[in-house]
Amino acid sequence: QLGRSDSTAYPQKILSDIVSVSCGTVHMLAVKTDNTLWGWGDNSSNQLSNLYNTQTPTLLMTDVQDAVACSISSMAIKTDGSLWIWGNGNKNYGEAPDGVCYGSTPTKDHVIAASGGDTFFVAVKDDYTLWSWGDNNLGQLGNGTYNSSVTPVQIMSNVKSVCAGKDFALALTNNGDVYRWGAVNGHEVEGGNLPRKIADHVVSISAEYLRCSALKSDGTVLRWDGDELIDNVENIKLPERIYGKPSIWA
């Protein structure tokens, strides 16, 4: 997962000219300024396409503008707005990068943001509609049912970004409201299988495996564990220098 063949206690350079990085459970993806997608780590679920496990970054795709490493699958949005998904060997997950784009017409094209949980996916189109598909036994599709769907279904509008945890997801609207649905640790969050507003005046959102966070416009950070608001951290400071040998940044 470190992109190198040995362990290290200090940051080490493994790639340059990077615009985004995403971490799955045991694999990582990175998009470079030339729109190439690189991956490394474990490939036991084909999350690195048709490669074997690889300790160093390996080229996966070209013409990619963004990528998401999910638990044991991968997603890529190409520069033409098409969405590609692969991994886990499950029919809900789609094909490898050299295969056919997964998904019906609503999500295959015009995608601007995407994310995935263990066995479900969410995507935002350029008209700000939000779509979901995959397993739905815990309401993770947010469509008001518990019926799984291979075909993407629209669940919200006016959405600009989305992120997913194991069995839940968050959506951030254009006016700064945050909605959540699904389950944490097997227990449905309040609202369950329908999006429920949990915060406002938010500028960015993030989801971990079982927790989620939101950065508000006043600089405060909100964090939830299930339905419980566990942190409200004010006055977020800029990152400080990581301690270690100065030469490691060379």
Side-chain angles (χ1 to χ4, degrees):
Q1 297 97 306
L2 297 181
R4 48 187 289 132
S5 59
D6 58 339
S7 299
T8 176
Y10 303 106
Q12 301 287 333
K13 180 179 178 180
I14 57 172
L15 278 174
S16 57
D17 302 320
I18 301 299
V19 294
S20 67
V21 175
S22 182
C23 303
T25 302
V26 287
H27 77 294
M28 297 185 70
L29 301 175
V31 179
K32 300 186 67 172
T33 53
D34 61 359
N35 297 116
T36 55
L37 173 63
W38 298 73
W40 62 96
D42 181 79
N43 192 40
S44 57
S45 297
N46 296 319
Q47 60 267 54
L48 296 178
S49 182
N50 296 321
L51 301 173
Y52 295 102
N53 295 349
T54 175
Q55 296 176 329
T56 56
T58 303
L59 178 64
L60 301 181
M61 296 180 74
T62 59
D63 300 318
V64 174
Q65 62 175 326
D66 197 13
V68 180
C70 308
S71 296
I72 47 176
S73 58
S74 299
M75 311 177 75
I77 302 174
K78 301 196 75 173
T79 52
D80 63 0
S82 60
L83 176 62
W84 298 62
I85 306 173
W86 62 97
N88 201 24
N90 186 301
K91 65 180 181 180
N92 289 345
Y93 283 68
E95 306 292 337
D98 57 356
V100 179
C101 286
Y102 169 77
S104 62
T105 302
T107 59
K108 184 188 297 183
D109 302 310
H110 307 290
V111 174
I112 60 173
S115 188
D118 261 10
T119 56
F120 77 103
F121 298 100
V122 284
V124 181
K125 293 183 63 179
D126 59 9
D127 61 359
Y128 301 113
T129 54
L130 175 62
W131 300 74
S132 64
W133 66 101
D135 288 341
N136 196 32
N137 59 308
L138 295 171
Q140 54 266 61
L141 298 190
N143 63 353
T145 77
Y146 295 99
N147 301 320
S148 299
S149 176
V150 175
T151 303
V153 293
Q154 183 182 342
I155 59 173
M156 288 184 66
S157 58
N158 195 36
V159 173
K160 68 177 182 178
S161 66
V162 66
C163 58
K166 181 179 184 294
D167 297 308
F168 70 93
L170 297 179
L172 176 61
T173 67
N174 284 306
N175 57 349
D177 294 332
V178 176
Y179 290 79
R180 183 178 59 171
W181 62 94
V184 176
N185 262 337
H187 303 287
E188 284 193 1
V189 296
E190 185 179 345
N193 60 10
L194 285 171
R196 179 180 70 92
K197 181 178 175 180
I198 60 172
D200 53 21
H201 304 294
V202 170
V203 296
S204 67
I205 53 176
S206 176
E208 304 169 30
Y209 199 60
L210 298 174
R211 291 183 174 135
C212 56
S213 306
L215 173 63
K216 302 193 68 172
S217 56
D218 63 0
T220 59
V221 172
L222 307 177
R223 283 175 55 84
W224 292 266
D225 184 355
D227 271 331
E228 182 183 0
L229 180 63
I230 58 176
D231 289 311
N232 187 341
V233 185
E234 298 182 355
N235 302 319
I236 299 303
K237 297 180 179 179
L238 294 175
E240 297 180 358
R241 180 172 179 265
I242 298 175
Y243 290 100
K245 300 177 181 178
S247 60
I248 63 177
W249 299 106

